[in-house]
């Protein structure tokens, strides 16, 4: 889900200047109200206000306008910018409310969230306190194992992180420019150039990698710069500008969807609309600014920062606390609770702290609050993660002990073949969902599976060199998931294995295409495919090549200079024909069932009393598999297929929990533990597919 952010509300004043004053602008408060309500309503009803995420862009423009205007007035009156005072004021304005929400969310999350959500939640709590949350989410967006991770209750701090990073470098930029060239026009020229460069990069990155582009700071700087220019340039605006600007903001909120490539070009509409609203100024009865200056709008604007801070954790946690689904009554309750908590925390916590003479006169207390908040969240994170690790280790030890003692029994996949088993859910100790989630970061995977950010080939070898079957196992992370099984069979002296894995990169004679992927990663995959092919073809120790892939996730195009692919099957067939020509046999492993995007660890944690809810109908989970269909289309007896679906499904269902073991570590990757329990079935299927030794 795309999340939004916003800057802080203007400091409360006892005497409000007139709308034409260069300082306080009540219409800006009204504009904040529109922006924050657009964001909140989008998160509550995303199918109705499909583009409500543009509220964040409105706030970025407002921040650029207000902060630049303030800095410029300080230059005009003092001839410089007092950086220490500026940062202290920012800390005093932002941190009290943010710290309160982070602490409250940490406590509530610890009590309400399932164990499998805590490792990532604590990581994001620290990132939010340190205002680097946007970079954490940008990293997650390109991490193959985290793209489908559940939302965290502090995920919305990403935009506040962008703002804090803007506040950190913006006064320095203006101050350095003024020191070098003491003219206002020079600052305008520098900001204009920065706007154009950032906008161009935003357009490029949105096309190349939209998930990452949404969060990172460089793609958003131009929006702040647009607001900054509104503070520095003088134009003769008309009232109609305001109405056109409001129409642009609301149109983007209504017409944009999750499918809109954003920010990029699309962000121009809400950004230019906000700039027009700011430049129009609230003068004249016909101006939109007069309406935005009315008390109902400014009242929400006054608490808009707190509204933004509270709404997202309430949206995620309140239904858990009340044990009700997120239906209309719960959504109305979230909205009411958000407004109430925002009003209370603004007037009885945030405002008194900001009005404190001790904090306003001295810089160090405000800066100390900032350091203390980050340190406290870090310490809490370390402690909580230590507890979770202890619990996970304890669960792992208990589970492993039972697995060894049972010697197979009805554990894991054996539940489908054991004569005395009660499929699919056996009694007794159960593998914890926490252990399944920890399995995602298993160092054994990363030791043999490089990411798409490199062309590097990692080769892992294990098993006796004189084993009867000498096998290369090749593919994406759906091949890597069998590493536990392969190691077990190698340890039993049944296989000599060499692995060639690459996350999100299937073994094919074609260009693998993923939606809106950076071309560099696509090229890395293509180069890896060719290097691995050469190694296998030239290796006399390899007799069999076992291939599998998450083939439903990809589309294939012909390599440069090659004829167009006759069909998608040709991508795999072309690679296999090169292996066959080198005297290798090919064994194709049908892909594992898909759980249709359902996070199995979360489901297991939540549905302890009814684990059947973590199952998917077999006919839906076992959709047509491109890689096994390619083997059938080739029709060469040297290319055979092995299918382990019966170790994951019965006649009606494919299970997320079976034989006391969590089957998947997310929605489509097997846990190491469950894959190990499939070793007997894997061996039988492989020997049958490989055929007799010659």
């Amino acid at each position: 889900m795309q999340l939004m952010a916003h800057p802080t509300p203007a400091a409360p004043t006892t005497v409000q200047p007139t709308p034409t004053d260069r300082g306080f602008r009540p219409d800006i408060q009204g504009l904040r109200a529109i922006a924050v309500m657009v964001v909140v309503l989008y998160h509550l009803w995303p199918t109705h206000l499909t583009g409500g995420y543009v509220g964040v862009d409105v706030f970025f423009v407002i921040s650029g306008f207000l902060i630049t205007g303030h800095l410029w007035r300080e230059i005009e009156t003092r001839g410089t910018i007092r950086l220490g005072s500026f940062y202290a004021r920012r800390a005093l304005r932002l941190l009290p409310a943010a710290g309160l929400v982070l602490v409250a969310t940490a406590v509530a999350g610890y009590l309400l969230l399932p164990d499998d959500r805590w490792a990532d939640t604590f990581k994001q709590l620290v990132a939010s306190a340190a205002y680097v949350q946007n970079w954490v989410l940008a990293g997650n967006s390109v991490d193959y194992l985290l793209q489908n991770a559940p939302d965290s209750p502090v995920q919305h701090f990403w935009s506040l992180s962008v703002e804090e990073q803007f506040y950190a470098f913006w006064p320095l930029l203006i101050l350095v420019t003024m020191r070098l060239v003491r003219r206002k026009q020079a600052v305008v020229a520098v900001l204009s150039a920065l706007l154009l460069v950032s906008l161009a990069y935003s357009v490029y990155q949105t096309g190349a990698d939209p998930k990452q582009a949404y969060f990172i700071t460089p793609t958003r700087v131009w929006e702040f710069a647009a607001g900054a220019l509104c503070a520095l340039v003088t134009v003769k605006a008309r009232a109609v500008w305001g109405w056109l600007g409001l129409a642009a903001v609301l149109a983007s909120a209504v017409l944009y969807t999750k499918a809109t490539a954003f920010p990029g070009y699309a962000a121009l509409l809400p950004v230019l609309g906000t700039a027009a609203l700011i430049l129009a100024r609230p003068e004249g009865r016909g101006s939109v600014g007069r309406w935005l200056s009315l008390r109902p709008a400014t009242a929400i604007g006054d608490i808009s920062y707190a509204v933004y801070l509270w709404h997202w954790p309430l949206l995620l946690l309140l239904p858990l606390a009340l044990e009700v689904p997120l239906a209309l009554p719960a959504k109305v309750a979230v909205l009411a609770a958000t407004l109430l908590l925002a009003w209370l925390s603004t007037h009885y916590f945030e405002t008194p702290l900001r009005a404190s003479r001790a904090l306003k006169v001295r810089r160090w207390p405000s800066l100390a609050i900032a350091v203390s908040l980050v340190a406290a969240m870090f310490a809490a994170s370390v402690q909580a993660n230590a507890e979770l690790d202890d619990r996970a280790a304890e669960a792992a030890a208990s589970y492993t002990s039972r697995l060894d003692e049972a010697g197979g029994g009805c554990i894991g996949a054996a539940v489908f073949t054991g004569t005395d088993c009660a499929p699919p859910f056996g009694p007794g100790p159960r593998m914890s969902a926490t252990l399944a989630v920890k399995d995602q970061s298993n160092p054994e995977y990363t030791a043999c599976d490089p990411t798409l950010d490199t062309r590097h080939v990692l080769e892992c070898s294990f098993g006796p060199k004189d084993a009867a079957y000498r096998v290369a196992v090749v593919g994406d992370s759906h091949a890597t998931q069998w590493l536990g099984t392969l190691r077990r069979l190698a340890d039993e002296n049944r296989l000599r294995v060499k692995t060639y894995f690459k996350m999100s990169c299937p073994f094919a004679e074609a260009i693998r295409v993923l939606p809106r992927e950076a071309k560099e990663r696509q090229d890395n995959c293509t180069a890896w495919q060719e290097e691995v092919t050469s190694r296998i073809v030239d290796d006399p120790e390899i007799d069999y090549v076992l291939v599998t892939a998450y083939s439903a996730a990809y589309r294939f195009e012909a390599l440069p200079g090659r004829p167009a692919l006759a069909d998608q099957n040709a991508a795999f067939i072309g690679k296999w024909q090169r292996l066959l020509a080198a005297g290798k046999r090919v064994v194709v492993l049908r892909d594992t069932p898909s759980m249709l995007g359902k996070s199995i660890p979360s489901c297991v944690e939540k549905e302890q009393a009814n684990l059947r809810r973590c199952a998917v109908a077999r006919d839906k989970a076992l959709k047509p598999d491109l890689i096994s269909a390619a083997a059938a289309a080739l029709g060469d007896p040297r290319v055979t297929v092995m299918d382990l679906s019966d170790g994951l499904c019965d006649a009606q269902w494919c299970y997320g929990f079976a034989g006391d073991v969590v089957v998947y570590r997310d929605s489509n990757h097997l846990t190491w533990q469950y894959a190990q329990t499939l070793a007997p079935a894997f061996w039988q299927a492989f020997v049958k597919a490989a055929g007799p030794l010659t």
Side-chain angles (χ1 to χ4, degrees), residues 369-387:
I369 291 175
V371 174
S372 299
L373 176 63
V374 177
M377 298 310 295
F378 180 77
S381 175
V382 170
Q383 178 62 31
N385 270 309
E387 289 185 23

Side-chain angles (χ1 to χ4, degrees), residues 210-222:
K211 291 181 178 179
Q212 190 177 59
Y214 188 82
F215 294 112
I216 61 177
T217 306
T219 62
R220 301 287 187 164
V221 167
W222 70 275

Side-chain angles (χ1 to χ4, degrees), residues 234-299:
T234 302
V235 296
K236 187 177 181 180
R238 299 178 181 275
V240 69
W241 287 21
W243 291 108
L244 291 174
L246 181 62
V249 170
L250 295 180
S252 57
V254 172
L255 299 177
Y256 287 179
T257 68
K258 289 182 179 180
T260 303
F262 204 87
Y265 286 121
L268 282 167
L269 186 60
V271 168
L272 294 179
T274 305
L277 277 162
I278 291 172
L279 292 173
R281 305 190 66 82
E283 297 172 352
R285 292 185 177 181
S287 72
V288 68
R290 299 288 290 185
W291 291 96
L292 293 177
S293 301
L294 296 177
R295 188 55 191 156
T298 60

